[in-house]
């Protein structure tokens, strides 16, 4: 399994990791270290070296840092050159959640870094008032692919829980959807996402009262829609 080490300034990595694990549960082979004010480059370098040695199970360690060019980034680069490790900058919650839900056992470290990068970029959205002039925003890529399964079914659902599809309810949705072999998609008027991806579901920004289209393709498609439909009707057990 690929190890994960968050290297950031002033406890940012520790806070992101704590919040992410509250959503997806405790995860193996992941830690966070911070550059403390006044601490030297060498102190952080030595700490990172020890953590990498403990996290590396043979497939390398993905070093996730906050800002390119900062001390954490410069330290991480020293462990990437001519080694099997990789570094990605611009760490945010979307990136971290996508990495934690990815198959770190079977992906290569390069593939995992690419998945993290795409997720972080696609999670950036601009919301502005009518007085603001903004360039046209490109649509996020759909998770839908050429599937070729046998059965396809579709229903409409409504978000009825007070907090909408927030992190916790999205995690419950992903957990239920992951029980089925079918590919399952959730769509609003603007985009369609894969329900087996927490970040995909969160990107819908579905508040209470939002009506969504739920579509499944595969042998157990109808059973999947029934179970997920019941989850929406139960308000995700939150009320």
């Amino acid at each position: 399994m690929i190890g994960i080490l968050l290297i950031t300034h002033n406890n940012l990595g520790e806070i992101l990791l704590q919040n992410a694990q509250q959503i997806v549960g405790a995860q193996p082979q992941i830690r966070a270290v911070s550059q403390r004010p006044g601490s030297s480059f060498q102190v952080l370098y030595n700490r990172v070296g020890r953590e990498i040695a403990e996290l590396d199970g043979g497939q390398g360690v993905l070093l996730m840092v906050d800002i390119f060019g900062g001390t954490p980034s410069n330290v991480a680069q020293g462990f990437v050159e001519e080694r099997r490790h990789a570094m990605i900058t611009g760490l945010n919650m979307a990136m971290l959640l996508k990495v934690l839900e990815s198959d770190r056992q079977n992906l290569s470290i390069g593939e995992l870094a690419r998945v993290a990068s795409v997720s972080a970029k696609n999670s950036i959205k601009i919301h502005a008032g009518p007085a603001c002039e903004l360039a046209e925003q490109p649509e996020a890529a759909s998770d839908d692919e050429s599937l070729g399964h046998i059965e396809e079914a579709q229903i409409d659902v409504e978000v009825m829980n007070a907090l909408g599809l927030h992190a916790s309810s999205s995690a419950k949705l992903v957990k239920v959807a992951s029980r089925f072999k079918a590919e399952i998609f959730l769509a609003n008027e603007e985009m369609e996402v894969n329900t087996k991806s927490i970040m995909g579901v969160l990107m819908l920004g579905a508040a209470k009262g939002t009506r969504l289209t739920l579509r499944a393709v595969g042998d157990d498609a109808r059973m999947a829609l029934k179970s997920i439909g019941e989850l929406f009707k139960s308000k995700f057990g939150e009320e």
Side-chain angles (χ1 to χ4, degrees):
M1 178 182 288
I2 298 169
I4 304 294
L5 182 61
L6 314 183
I7 313 172
T8 65
H9 297 84
N10 297 330
N11 296 321
L12 175 62
E14 286 89 340
I15 293 170
L16 286 173
L17 180 57
Q18 180 182 8
N19 281 279
Q21 292 193 132
Q22 286 178 351
I23 296 171
V24 299
Q27 301 290 310
Q29 283 183 248
I30 179 167
R31 296 180 186 175
V33 297
S34 287
Q35 168 70 10
R36 309 292 182 186
S39 181
S40 70
F41 178 98
Q42 193 61 48
V43 168
L44 182 61
Y45 187 92
N46 293 342
R47 173 88 184 277
V48 168
R50 291 193 298 269
E51 297 290 356
I52 288 176
E54 294 183 13
L55 289 169
D56 188 3
Q59 292 180 253
V61 178
L62 180 61
L63 309 177
M64 306 178 71
V65 305
D66 48 3
I67 303 173
F68 181 77
T71 300
S73 169
N74 295 335
V75 166
Q77 285 183 304
F79 290 93
V80 170
E81 297 176 1
E82 299 181 0
R83 306 190 192 190
R84 60 172 170 262
H85 312 306
M87 178 186 80
I88 184 167
T89 64
L91 173 62
N92 62 22
M93 181 63 81
M95 178 194 293
L96 181 55
L97 285 172
K98 190 63 178 180
V99 165
L100 293 184
E101 72 176 17
S102 297
D103 185 1
R104 291 192 277 142
Q105 191 68 46
N106 295 309
L107 288 175
S108 71
I109 195 166
E111 290 169 334
L112 184 61
R114 191 171 298 110
V115 164
S117 175
V118 170
S119 177
K121 293 175 182 177
N122 286 345
S123 72
I124 298 172
K125 302 293 181 182
I126 299 174
H127 295 273
C132 299
E133 295 183 4
L134 299 174
E136 183 177 351
Q137 183 179 356
E139 295 183 1
S142 172
D143 286 330
D144 197 356
E145 298 177 353
S146 179
L147 301 170
H149 294 300
I150 297 173
E151 179 180 310
E152 179 170 359
Q154 178 175 303
I155 62 172
D156 292 329
V157 294
E158 182 178 348
V159 180
M160 296 186 290
N161 56 311
L163 297 177
L165 286 180
H166 60 116
S168 179
S169 56
S170 294
K172 291 177 182 178
L173 174 57
V174 170
K175 184 176 181 180
V176 172
S178 297
R179 297 174 186 165
F180 299 93
K181 295 181 180 179
E183 292 291 338
I184 310 166
F185 304 95
L186 193 62
N188 57 20
E189 295 180 353
E190 300 177 352
M191 65 185 301
E192 183 178 74
V193 301
N194 193 317
T195 60
K196 297 180 182 180
S197 166
I198 291 175
M199 285 313 306
V201 175
L202 287 172
M203 285 172 62
L204 289 173
K208 181 179 180 180
T210 302
R211 295 194 63 82
L212 302 167
T213 299
L214 189 63
R215 179 173 67 90
V217 185
D219 292 339
D220 53 1
R222 296 186 186 279
M223 290 188 296
L225 294 190
K226 180 180 179 181
S227 294
I228 296 175
E230 290 174 351
L231 183 64
F232 275 85
K233 290 179 182 178
S234 72
K235 301 181 181 180
F236 296 88
E238 295 177 359
E239 300 175 29

